[in-house]
Amino acid sequence: MKTDHLHSLRHMHLAVSAQLSILLSVIIVGCSFTRVEEDVYTHTDVDTTEVQQVHNQPGERDNGVIYPSSRTVVVDRHLTQHDSVVERSYPNFIRLGVFEGIGLIGGQLTGNSTYTGLFGLFYEVDNLLFKQEPEFGSVTLFSGFHYRVGFAEWKLRFFGDDPNWTWGISAFEIIQPDNDVNNRLYGAGVLSIHKRFYFREKIPYFAITPQLSISGGPSPFLNGSVSADLGSIGGLNMRVYTGFIWGVTNYVDGVGVSFPYIGIGTSALDFLNREEELEVEWKYHEHSAWEIGVAEVQFVASTSAQRSVFAPKKTGGDKPGITGYNVRLLNTRLAIPILDNRLTAGTSIIELLFVGVDEYAVGVLPIRLSYFWQPFGNMFTIEPFTEFSYLPSTFVNLGVRAALPLSDNFSVVVTGGFVSGETGSSSNRNQQGVQYTAPSSQGVTGLKFSSLYFGFGVSVLDRIFGKEELRYR
């Protein structure tokens, strides 16, 4: 038994080392995201100066045929040379993305559903905040989820350089067909091969993509699938998968897992280039969004909130001025080609709006309509908005947001608004931090709340585009 255990540990060590080696090789070899080409020019400047002078000698003279002319001509020629280098930057990837969430249908094995719903993202608020299992039946459409974090694809130059073949790598993947953690698969440095068949080659693209993914650990698995892809527009994509997974949960005492599945997924900050676009300079690429960002974090102040998230036991005059926070992750605001292209429709993968301890909302893929106004060029943005979320919390958020970019990927933001809705939770916590159940009159949708608020903070890895960069221009 001891020998078997050491043998398993050795295999696990080799697998983890192999995965780390793959990741390190990808980084060192330089599967870069930008290709730079240089043109060296030699500039030659020729300058010629001609000076003519007439010297008339005093006295009488016979300007005969053989008499020398009094006109002199001086020619001065200068030649200078210098070199210049012109750099051109091109995209060097087919696909580059931050996050993809997929809700799985038909993969349920020994457990019940994870109750994460469409895209595998719709966790119940009670489960997300208070670690309480939702009270649902055992039958549900979506049984599990599949997450990908940090992935990229590059052109695969096999098969006679046949177009639209790519190879890719995902930094991390997790696959869970049901709520039994013994069926969960993890992958780090997951390698994949893809072939795209395009049916629409204009934005938004539409393609059918067979693909094969393999993970060496921590959970070895093989995932073969075919997807119908729609995107990428502002980094947003929709996909429908069908596939089959074979895997082992871990190397030591792993359990064999295999199941077919249908998946419905979405991804944010996920950008796709066709092969022809790899020959177009970055500065000439057209964009569909006014703004794309990784994270926006604001501190929130509200006079109507009874208690602050940062000091829940203090009320009245002892309550801190900062009562909560607003966090929005993987944000996109798409330009709608009306009203001078300044009307936008946007969303976030998740939004946490905590005005106070009892006034909070959690939104997955909330819909935000706004008007993108830049009164002083591209340096300052004022954005009146209306935002709505249905799950896991139901709320309407009205307000005005102002953003001042300090660099290409960092902005200072302030927001004033009014939010009204239901928390989506049947539980909460009292002043002593003890959990209690919401009044039955509120129903299972949770406590109702309404609040004015003011927020200030920053938007990180955020890019605001100019009007001239939009593809609708």
Side-chain angles (χ1 to χ4, degrees), residues 106-358:
Q108 191 167 327
L109 297 175
T110 59
N112 294 323
S113 171
T114 58
Y115 302 110
T116 49
L118 184 66
F119 311 133
L121 300 175
F122 291 93
Y123 286 85
E124 290 296 313
V125 175
D126 285 331
N127 187 15
L128 188 65
L129 299 181
F130 306 125
K131 304 304 178 183
Q132 289 187 347
E133 291 297 327
E135 297 181 359
F136 294 117
S138 59
V139 179
T140 184
L141 179 61
F142 293 93
S143 60
F145 56 80
H146 182 183
Y147 301 147
R148 289 190 179 99
V149 180
F151 43 86
E153 295 178 33
W154 295 269
K155 180 174 174 57
L156 182 63
R157 297 189 177 276
F158 287 173
F159 313 110
D161 212 17
D162 190 41
N164 299 323
W165 281 94
T166 66
W167 73 274
I169 187 169
S170 299
F172 181 75
E173 294 190 19
I174 177 172
I175 305 170
Q176 186 163 336
D178 52 37
N179 67 351
D180 188 347
V181 295
N182 294 318
N183 298 328
R184 184 182 298 169
L185 298 171
Y186 296 97
V190 180
L191 296 175
S192 57
I193 295 178
H194 313 254
K195 168 67 174 179
R196 288 182 174 83
F197 298 92
Y198 282 96
F199 291 87
R200 176 182 168 86
E201 297 189 354
K202 295 181 180 180
I203 299 174
Y205 307 125
F206 178 70
I208 301 297
T209 308
Q211 52 194 290
L212 182 67
S213 301
I214 183 170
S215 168
S219 303
F221 66 78
L222 186 67
N223 182 12
S225 66
V226 177
S227 64
D229 312 336
L230 181 65
S232 164
I233 178 167
L236 295 177
N237 297 264
M238 292 286 293
R239 294 182 177 87
V240 178
Y241 292 87
T242 180
F244 197 96
I245 292 178
W246 303 264
V248 179
T249 54
N250 62 70
Y251 278 96
V252 180
D253 52 357
V255 176
V257 174
S258 62
F259 57 91
Y261 66 90
I262 295 174
I264 299 179
T266 186
S267 58
L269 268 67
D270 179 4
F271 305 97
L272 180 69
N273 290 316
R274 293 182 296 107
E275 289 189 12
E276 294 83 354
E277 293 175 309
L278 301 185
E279 303 302 324
V280 179
E281 290 186 66
W282 272 123
K283 62 183 179 181
Y284 296 125
H285 275 248
E286 297 177 330
H287 305 278
S288 303
W290 275 106
E291 185 174 6
I292 297 175
V294 172
E296 182 176 309
V297 180
Q298 296 188 55
F299 292 104
V300 171
S302 173
T303 56
S304 58
Q306 298 299 315
R307 294 179 291 152
S308 170
V309 173
F310 303 104
K313 296 184 179 180
K314 295 182 179 181
T315 58
D318 296 332
K319 180 184 67 176
I322 304 299
T323 59
Y325 56 86
N326 185 13
V327 177
R328 301 170 57 245
L329 300 178
L330 306 188
N331 312 306
T332 300
R333 273 194 280 291
L334 303 177
I336 301 176
I338 58 176
L339 297 178
D340 196 27
N341 302 324
R342 295 192 176 275
L343 188 65
T344 75
T347 189
S348 308
I349 284 293
I350 188 169
E351 178 175 5
L352 305 175
L353 178 54
F354 279 69
V355 180
V357 172
D358 302 312

Side-chain angles (χ1 to χ4, degrees), residues 394-423:
T394 301
F395 67 88
V396 175
N397 184 17
L398 308 175
V400 178
R401 172 183 178 267
L404 177 63
L406 300 183
S407 67
D408 286 342
N409 52 18
F410 184 85
S411 301
V412 175
V413 295
V414 295
T415 302
F418 174 80
V419 59
S420 178
E422 297 175 334
T423 62

